[in-house]
Amino acid sequence: MTLTSDRPAPAGEGPPCRQQGSTESRPAEGRPETPFLLVDPERVRRNIARLRSRLARSGTPLRPHVKTAKSLAVARLLFDGEPGPITVSTLREAEVFAAHGYTDILYAVGLAPQKLDRVVALRRAGVDLQVLIDSVAQAEAVAAVSTRTGVSVPALIEIDCDGHRGGLRPDDPAAVRIAGTLERGGAEARGVLLHAGGSYHCRSREELVDAAENERASAVRAVELLRAAGFAVPVVSVGSTPTAHSAADLTGVTEVRAGNFVFFDLVMAGIGVCTVDDLAMSVVVTVIGHQPERGWIVTDGGWMATSRDRGTSVQPVDQGYGLVARLDGPHYPDLLMTDASQEHGILTVRPGSHGTLPDLPVGTRVRILPIHACATAAQHDEYLVLDPATGAATEIWPRLRGW
Amino acid sequence: MTLTSDRPAPAGEGPPCRQQGSTESRPAEGRPETPFLLVDPERVRRNIARLRSRLARSGTPLRPHVKTAKSLAVARLLFDGEPGPITVSTLREAEVFAAHGYTDILYAVGLAPQKLDRVVALRRAGVDLQVLIDSVAQAEAVAAVSTRTGVSVPALIEIDCDGHRGGLRPDDPAAVRIAGTLERGGAEARGVLLHAGGSYHCRSREELVDAAENERASAVRAVELLRAAGFAVPVVSVGSTPTAHSAADLTGVTEVRAGNFVFFDLVMAGIGVCTVDDLAMSVVVTVIGHQPERGWIVTDGGWMATSRDRGTSVQPVDQGYGLVARLDGPHYPDLLMTDASQEHGILTVRPGSHGTLPDLPVGTRVRILPIHACATAAQHDEYLVLDPATGAATEIWPRLRGW
């Protein structure tokens, strides 16, 4: 939560970074206590290399979404140390990343007009921050602040390709009215943005390819109407982790967004975009008890550590609150975290399977592979990197929080 | 996440408080940006007075659970400013509250033996910290650390009365073995603890009264067996918000625990333990768009602000991700937050109802009444108190995080 004054920051004062505590990674020592978030930097690198290599074929730039990891250390892996274009889900992410040299930022959540003063402050500080809108009311607010401050705010128009959230239909003439409202007020209609959120429900490779093509074609349709009406709208931004890994053609697209892919999770594995072996983040928990009559192992990792996300419950294979893995090894194919209270997790054999409960005495540490990496990571303040040989922590990567 | 060295803190060094940033409430100014947590101190006071008054009838002490609010400011309301006995769900809560004068603390999550060094450090600092166990393996660890350090650690034995989580059956002879293991090692078998988690599924006043009596009777049965075996076990600790508000008889009980009641939530209203008007905490969000064809209002409050908790989905009335209320007034009976992505909420008329979508233009602020207060509050770093006349923030109450 951030309290802001009504007064925009004076020009040249630098980005208004509201960070509390360090956001920089730091060395760690000692044996961490559970529950904690464990990250595998090699798998993060591998996941990033895979998507970059895929997009390199068509030469389409990647604008990664930092909302999943919310970590400067992960962003450094995304860009080989050099700040590049990013997507953010909160102005707090924009402010912290701006304070660390990121100057090309897309704020990809529909704009609440009350937040425009922070947008203007970042632009005055030299950040090319773009906002997202899908209504004339928002365009009027963006135009008004551009007129009032003399700072031209660029906006993308959100287009909806699959009915899952915000945005205009690709052929909605309101897009032209929005662009006109922006430009008459000294703001900028910079392009269109689509997010094929419906792709999270795909069940086959074919459906994924179709979802990606639908996203692309809807984007091109919308931008053609705007260009025919005389607006330059150079940006055609599409993406989601499933479609970014599935698009067969990106003609007309100027950038692809994806966020979850740095870590992946069991929802993505269920869609078929990755395998369980690609999951780069997990929650380490400790066994604190057993209920043999009920076939339960009880751990100190409840929903406070994993989140309440049950995203695989609508997929063909329900993974509960997560698959259980050895601390330093592979997962148990049929051992799940099936229930959670605030600080307790219940591990059981997968219902209907022929698995047997492993012998995990009190004090044993295991890892919970997350259902939804964005939600699980959000329950924690930092990631730990461990030395695989000793189990000791070697690095701490802080996460951003708040709005 | 906390990294600890293997070395316990030297005696007399004071409680090892690992807090980062201030945990003290502070004055606020300006208009907060959404999403944020709004707390109504008058309702918190009313909810506390109601339970205190109820328990005063039988003279049973309350040991409130601070895991819901995780706030020193709320704890101050619980105790009229004077630190009293508390229950915690993490050692971090224990450490921060200890640093603020709370010296009678029950850590009510089954103990991971690796955490005993922090327990000993708190006891050395003068905190009467009790732990919770339900196995001989844990008792051996508690006894070993007591022997090794000369600091006698008191433990409660967890008893299970309704099959929902950890604990021994009330007549399980293992309790006597656990008590013996503790006391032979210089630790202390201080009593029994029960949590009637099954009461969250009660559907009537009668079922609630029965659940409370089952919790009490199971506690008394377990403690009688221990006392017959020669252990003093003075503490008989029971509680949950539903049973604490329903018990007709507390004979034999020495303390009642409850946590959620300071705020209440829609799960508790669904059980019938409170009314929607008792809810003392909500999430303030801003309207950022509309999808009239689908009957949707889109807000800037997604699951990052509300949590993914859908606890009312198993109740007779499913409240989705929360009921929608006016910023400064009552709730709309049939307007729900029915879907959520990370930073987007979808508001719709309750399925099957005859409600109509209110006219809420872009920029309008509304409140989301939480499904599960513990989970919703955990998504935020602080509570805001607003001046009802101006909508400006007057106070910030920080929350604790981590383990």
Side-chain angles (χ1 to χ4, degrees):
Chain A
M1 239 299 309
T2 305
L3 296 179
T4 53
S5 74
D6 292 325
R7 186 180 52 85
E13 207 180 45
C17 177
R18 291 177 176 80
Q19 66 185 99
Q20 296 182 320
S22 174
T23 52
E24 291 288 354
S25 49
R26 59 187 190 274
E29 41 183 75
R31 192 172 156 83
E33 284 181 20
T34 55
F36 65 88
L37 268 190
L38 178 65
V39 67
D40 179 337
E42 277 318 304
R43 290 193 189 195
V44 174
R45 283 193 188 93
R46 197 172 78 193
N47 294 340
I48 292 169
R50 178 180 159 209
L51 183 57
R52 285 223 174 269
S53 149
R54 184 179 174 89
L55 294 176
R57 284 183 237 155
S58 61
T60 316
L62 175 65
R63 181 187 287 280
H65 207 317
V66 300
K67 81 178 179 78
T68 300
K70 296 204 183 209
S71 153
L72 291 161
V74 171
R76 215 160 278 135
L77 300 181
L78 277 163
F79 294 108
D80 268 337
E82 196 64 37
I86 57 171
T87 312
V88 299
S89 69
T90 64
L91 286 176
R92 168 141 171 82
E93 289 164 40
E95 288 160 352
V96 172
F97 275 84
H100 288 82
Y102 291 79
T103 55
D104 181 359
I105 303 180
L106 165 58
Y107 172 39
V109 173
L111 180 74
Q114 291 91 334
K115 295 173 183 168
L116 273 165
D117 285 341
R118 286 166 76 188
V119 172
V120 167
L122 278 165
R123 289 200 63 81
R124 281 198 166 127
V127 178
D128 184 13
L129 179 67
Q130 306 166 62
V131 300
L132 183 65
I133 64 176
D134 70 353
S135 67
V136 171
Q138 287 164 306
E140 285 169 349
V142 173
V145 84
S146 298
T147 300
R148 174 168 64 82
T149 63
V151 174
S152 177
V153 174
L156 302 187
I157 301 172
E158 187 170 9
I159 305 295
D160 171 35
C161 65
D162 54 14
H164 78 288
R165 205 161 66 194
L168 304 171
R169 303 308 165 275
D171 52 3
D172 190 330
V176 169
R177 290 199 298 277
I178 289 170
T181 302
L182 288 169
E183 303 233 326
R184 277 192 304 277
E188 179 190 351
R190 190 175 285 182
V192 298
L193 177 144
L194 290 84
H195 170 61
S199 66
Y200 280 59
H201 302 290
C202 288
R203 291 287 169 270
S204 67
R205 184 80 202 151
E206 194 178 28
E207 283 182 26
L208 284 166
V209 172
D210 287 352
E213 174 55 20
N214 176 55
E215 188 182 45
R216 185 202 71 82
S218 301
V220 169
R221 169 79 182 142
V223 87
E224 277 171 355
L225 291 177
L226 284 162
R227 287 176 185 161
F231 298 99
V233 281
V235 171
V236 182
S237 180
V238 303
S240 70
T241 284
T243 54
H245 288 77
S246 309
D249 175 20
L250 287 166
T251 306
V253 167
T254 66
E255 66 182 28
V256 169
R257 305 180 323 281
N260 180 287
F261 73 101
V262 293
F263 295 148
F264 282 127
D265 54 33
L266 292 171
V267 164
M268 288 297 145
I271 295 171
V273 176
C274 67
T275 69
V276 173
D277 286 340
D278 295 322
L279 270 58
M281 188 266 288
S282 54
V283 181
V284 181
V285 303
T286 301
V287 173
I288 60 170
H290 301 85
Q291 293 287 350
E293 289 166 34
R294 295 196 280 269
W296 291 1
I297 297 169
V298 185
T299 77
D300 67 354
W303 57 251
M304 188 66 86
T306 61
S307 91
R308 270 285 193 208
D309 204 293
R310 292 275 290 96
T312 60
S313 64
V314 296
Q315 291 188 335
V317 179
D318 184 353
Q319 307 279 24
Y321 285 94
L323 263 175
V324 184
R326 290 169 182 82
L327 181 58
D328 57 354
H331 66 280
Y332 301 90
D334 287 318
L335 187 62
L336 299 183
M337 176 171 159
T338 45
D339 206 354
S341 51
Q342 185 160 336
E343 300 290 351
H344 297 80
I346 307 287
L347 314 185
T348 66
V349 169
R350 184 191 300 279
S353 78
H354 299 290
T356 53
L357 212 56
D359 179 30
L360 301 177
V362 164
T364 306
R365 292 182 170 204
V366 294
R367 294 183 299 123
I368 309 298
L369 303 182
I371 297 298
H372 184 177
C374 312
T376 299
Q379 302 297 107
H380 297 260
D381 288 343
E382 49 204 23
Y383 306 92
L384 269 279
V385 183
L386 294 194
D387 178 339
T390 65
T394 58
E395 268 184 88
I396 295 174
W397 295 358
R399 278 180 53 87
L400 312 183
R401 302 233 329 138
W403 290 269
Chain B
M1 239 300 308
T2 303
L3 296 179
T4 54
S5 75
D6 292 326
R7 185 181 52 82
E13 206 180 45
C17 177
R18 290 178 177 79
Q19 66 184 98
Q20 296 182 321
S22 174
T23 51
E24 291 288 355
S25 50
R26 58 187 191 275
E29 42 182 72
R31 192 173 156 82
E33 284 180 19
T34 54
F36 67 88
L37 269 191
L38 178 65
V39 66
D40 179 338
E42 277 318 305
R43 289 192 189 196
V44 174
R45 284 193 188 94
R46 198 172 76 193
N47 294 338
I48 292 168
R50 178 181 158 207
L51 183 57
R52 285 222 173 269
S53 148
R54 183 178 176 89
L55 294 176
R57 284 183 237 156
S58 61
T60 317
L62 175 66
R63 180 186 287 280
H65 207 318
V66 300
K67 80 177 180 78
T68 300
K70 295 204 183 208
S71 154
L72 291 161
V74 171
R76 215 159 279 135
L77 300 181
L78 277 162
F79 294 109
D80 268 337
E82 197 63 37
I86 57 171
T87 312
V88 300
S89 68
T90 64
L91 286 177
R92 169 142 170 82
E93 289 163 40
E95 288 160 352
V96 172
F97 276 84
H100 288 83
Y102 291 79
T103 56
D104 181 359
I105 303 181
L106 165 59
Y107 171 38
V109 173
L111 181 74
Q114 292 91 334
K115 295 175 183 168
L116 272 164
D117 285 341
R118 286 166 76 189
V119 171
V120 168
L122 279 165
R123 288 200 62 83
R124 282 198 164 126
V127 178
D128 184 13
L129 180 67
Q130 306 165 64
V131 300
L132 183 66
I133 65 177
D134 70 354
S135 67
V136 172
Q138 288 165 306
E140 285 169 348
V142 173
V145 84
S146 297
T147 300
R148 173 167 65 81
T149 63
V151 174
S152 176
V153 174
L156 302 187
I157 301 172
E158 187 169 8
I159 305 295
D160 171 34
C161 64
D162 54 13
H164 80 286
R165 205 160 66 193
L168 304 171
R169 301 308 164 276
D171 52 4
D172 190 329
V176 170
R177 290 200 298 277
I178 289 170
T181 303
L182 288 169
E183 304 233 326
R184 278 192 304 277
E188 180 189 352
R190 190 174 285 182
V192 298
L193 176 144
L194 290 84
H195 169 62
S199 67
Y200 279 59
H201 302 289
C202 288
R203 291 286 169 271
S204 68
R205 185 77 202 155
E206 195 177 29
E207 284 181 26
L208 284 166
V209 173
D210 287 352
E213 174 54 20
N214 176 57
E215 188 182 44
R216 184 201 73 80
S218 302
V220 169
R221 168 80 181 140
V223 87
E224 278 170 355
L225 291 176
L226 284 162
R227 287 177 185 160
F231 299 100
V233 283
V235 170
V236 182
S237 180
V238 303
S240 71
T241 285
T243 53
H245 288 78
S246 308
D249 175 19
L250 287 166
T251 305
V253 166
T254 66
E255 65 181 31
V256 169
R257 306 179 325 280
N260 179 286
F261 73 100
V262 293
F263 295 148
F264 283 126
D265 54 33
L266 292 170
V267 164
M268 287 298 145
I271 296 171
V273 176
C274 67
T275 69
V276 173
D277 285 341
D278 295 322
L279 271 58
M281 188 266 288
S282 54
V283 181
V284 181
V285 304
T286 301
V287 173
I288 60 170
H290 302 85
Q291 294 286 351
E293 290 165 33
R294 296 197 279 269
W296 290 3
I297 296 169
V298 185
T299 77
D300 66 355
W303 57 252
M304 187 66 85
T306 61
S307 90
R308 270 286 193 208
D309 204 294
R310 291 274 289 96
T312 61
S313 64
V314 295
Q315 292 188 332
V317 179
D318 184 351
Q319 307 279 24
Y321 286 93
L323 263 175
V324 184
R326 290 168 183 83
L327 181 58
D328 56 354
H331 66 281
Y332 302 90
D334 288 319
L335 187 62
L336 299 184
M337 177 170 159
T338 46
D339 206 354
S341 50
Q342 185 161 336
E343 301 288 352
H344 296 80
I346 306 286
L347 314 185
T348 65
V349 169
R350 184 191 301 278
S353 78
H354 299 290
T356 53
L357 212 56
D359 180 30
L360 301 176
V362 164
T364 305
R365 293 182 170 202
V366 293
R367 294 183 299 124
I368 309 298
L369 303 182
I371 296 300
H372 184 177
C374 312
T376 299
Q379 302 297 108
H380 296 259
D381 288 342
E382 49 204 23
Y383 306 91
L384 269 278
V385 183
L386 295 193
D387 178 338
T390 65
T394 58
E395 267 183 89
I396 295 173
W397 295 358
R399 276 179 54 85
L400 312 183
R401 300 234 329 139
W403 291 271

